[in-house]
Amino acid sequence: MGEPGVKLSDRSSYLGLTSVDELAALSRIVVRGPVTTIGRPHFNSSDGGFWHPALHDEPGVVDVAAELFRDVTIRADEVWGTTDPAVVRGSALTFRVHGGQVLVNLGPEAINSLELTPQSAYVFSSPPEVDLTIGEQAVFFLPYEAIDGLYDGRYGSVGKLVATHELAYMFAIEGALAVNAYRPNFTMSVTQIKHVTSANLATRARPVPPSGFVPAQSHPTRD
């Protein structure tokens, strides 16, 4: 018998995005280039290893979800817009997206705490929203975001470059068109999308999170 699949709870970034103008406004970096590396799936933890809020007790701090990610590296052959002066033509950029599948071995205590059927191993799976391939040429819309997780035994966050919208952040270039497979109404000419990017870049983007680990804040206690 194969290992049971365990579906993780994922955050959603699908709501509220209605136009390429808004996609650009929420982004801090827009580049065109190839995918050069797709990393192995990992959890939102210091070493990428498995964890679960049911196995971690941190008084006064709200639990966060264990999530699966992949780190994708692209080469910026063209920079269409950036708020980061370090991003130039030829830069290698690594951003984080949800998705992947990992095999995890769990001990009896963890199995009981998670109320799982006893097995020798478990498959934790979170299907990626966008299929990526090495060498694929595309335009990528990216901001910085604080990613919650369990880092060195504590809840907190680390800042990473991520996809602006996990369904619509990437455009294939087909001749004179920039084609978005997941939002057909976003497809427009390359000239148009460059203009939209220039006019709207980062006008609604979140602040860049601080570098390094930021511990989660405890809830104030009531008297």
Side-chain angles (χ1 to χ4, degrees):
M1 180 181 296
E3 294 85 7
V6 179
K7 180 67 170 65
L8 299 177
S9 298
D10 287 316
R11 295 174 300 176
S12 173
S13 60
Y14 310 156
L15 300 178
L17 191 63
T18 60
S19 67
V20 181
D21 299 55
E22 188 172 5
L23 184 67
L26 295 171
S27 303
R28 288 191 172 275
I29 297 171
V30 181
V31 297
R32 177 182 178 179
V35 176
T36 59
T37 306
I38 300 174
R40 295 173 63 86
H42 60 86
F43 288 91
N44 50 332
S45 61
S46 300
D47 61 359
F50 172 79
W51 70 280
H52 193 281
L55 307 175
H56 178 71
D57 182 23
E58 192 167 339
V61 178
V62 176
D63 284 340
V64 300
E67 300 178 283
L68 274 171
F69 292 92
R70 296 177 301 163
D71 292 334
V72 179
T73 301
I74 57 177
R75 187 181 67 238
D77 288 348
E78 298 178 13
V79 179
W80 288 12
T82 181
T83 62
D84 184 346
V87 176
V88 297
R89 183 177 179 181
S91 293
L93 303 175
T94 299
F95 64 95
R96 188 159 289 186
V97 290
H98 283 94
Q101 180 172 287
V102 297
L103 185 67
V104 177
N105 295 302
L106 298 176
E109 185 177 348
I111 292 171
N112 290 335
S113 296
L114 299 177
E115 300 181 344
L116 298 174
T117 302
Q119 297 284 341
S120 60
Y122 300 82
V123 175
F124 286 78
S125 178
S126 177
E129 300 294 352
V130 175
D131 292 326
L132 297 168
T133 57
I134 301 296
E136 182 173 11
Q137 292 272 352
V139 176
F140 301 88
F141 285 73
L142 311 169
Y144 292 95
E145 183 176 305
I147 297 181
D148 294 330
L150 185 69
Y151 304 101
D152 293 327
R154 299 178 63 191
Y155 282 136
S157 64
V158 293
K160 296 291 182 181
L161 196 62
V162 299
T164 300
H165 184 282
E166 294 210 14
L167 287 177
Y169 72 92
M170 189 177 75
F171 290 75
I173 301 299
E174 298 181 4
L177 287 179
V179 178
N180 192 300
Y182 291 88
R183 290 287 189 272
N185 60 309
F186 283 13
T187 296
M188 59 178 59
S189 72
V190 170
T191 299
Q192 286 176 307
I193 199 169
K194 284 183 175 181
H195 174 74
V196 167
T197 297
S198 176
N200 296 279
L201 184 72
T203 54
R204 289 181 51 197
R206 293 179 180 178
V208 176
S211 60
F213 171 71
V214 178
Q217 296 295 312
S218 299
H219 282 294
T221 57
R222 294 182 178 179
D223 295 332

